[in-house]
Amino acid sequence: MRLNQEAQEEITDQRERISVTANTDATNPYYQCNEEYPVSIAVVNNSNQTLMGMDIDISARTRSTSTNILPYSNRTLRWDHIVPPQHALAMCYRLGDAIAPGIVVTASAQLYSIELRRTEDWMLSETSASVLAPTCTNGSANCPPWERDWSDSAPSEGVHVTDDSKMLLEAP
């Protein structure tokens, strides 16, 4: 019985290492979306397993209010993109006509719905997620890209690493 409890606690711990954020272009430093799909949902996987899918709760509200103005049909999103450990992926969505300037959009993962699997080679080759920037060699939180330990990874093609660890998709 104790072994099952420890295994369940490990699963919960790994699920809690998945972070989800939602932004509009006005507040999004990582990924620029367009007018047709103005909301960016970004997922960062800091667990030790590959994210295969999850449900995401989405809320849109006007500033200084707590009422979700999204239609019920747009309040949950099924994320089915492969995100390996130490990778991040942002996708653009249209959530109906409620998204306008001044609207605050937030997202959170439904922890019980997060599906994690041991990482296999095919997952790494099929993902479109970007590798997270590695730590600075001097231990600092921020440093130029050339002062990071890239020995185990490299940014995906077309990605620019900023001094503050952000990995930005370069404009074509």
Side-chain angles (χ1 to χ4, degrees), residues 9-42:
E9 288 172 359
E10 172 65 17
I11 291 169
T12 299
D13 178 59
Q14 293 303 312
R15 287 178 175 165
E16 290 174 346
R17 294 175 189 223
I18 306 292
S19 65
V20 178
T21 57
N23 292 291
T24 60
D25 285 341
T27 61
N28 184 2
Y30 301 104
Y31 195 86
Q32 293 279 315
C33 294
N34 59 37
E35 288 182 21
E36 188 175 354
Y37 298 94
V39 177
S40 168
I41 307 278

Side-chain angles (χ1 to χ4, degrees), residues 67-170:
T67 303
N68 190 347
I69 60 174
L70 287 176
Y72 285 106
S73 61
N74 290 351
R75 292 184 180 189
T76 302
L77 170 74
R78 179 67 189 160
W79 181 275
D80 65 351
H81 303 281
I82 297 170
V83 184
Q86 304 309 307
H87 281 68
L89 181 63
M91 303 294 292
C92 297
Y93 293 90
R94 177 174 174 76
L95 300 177
D97 297 328
I99 307 306
I103 298 297
V104 178
V105 180
T106 57
S108 60
Q110 294 177 357
L111 284 181
Y112 64 86
S113 74
I114 294 175
E115 181 185 350
L116 295 171
R117 290 193 189 158
R118 186 176 24 147
T119 304
E120 298 179 26
D121 290 343
W122 69 267
M123 296 170 182
L124 296 171
S125 66
E126 291 185 20
T127 187
S128 55
S130 298
V131 175
L132 296 175
T135 57
C136 299
T137 54
N138 65 4
S140 172
N142 296 320
C143 64
W146 57 88
E147 292 180 7
R148 296 181 179 279
D149 179 8
W150 294 98
S151 60
D152 292 333
S153 62
S156 303
E157 188 174 328
V159 171
H160 170 74
V161 183
T162 65
D163 289 353
D164 59 352
S165 307
K166 295 178 182 141
M167 295 183 76
L168 307 175
L169 187 62
E170 294 176 353

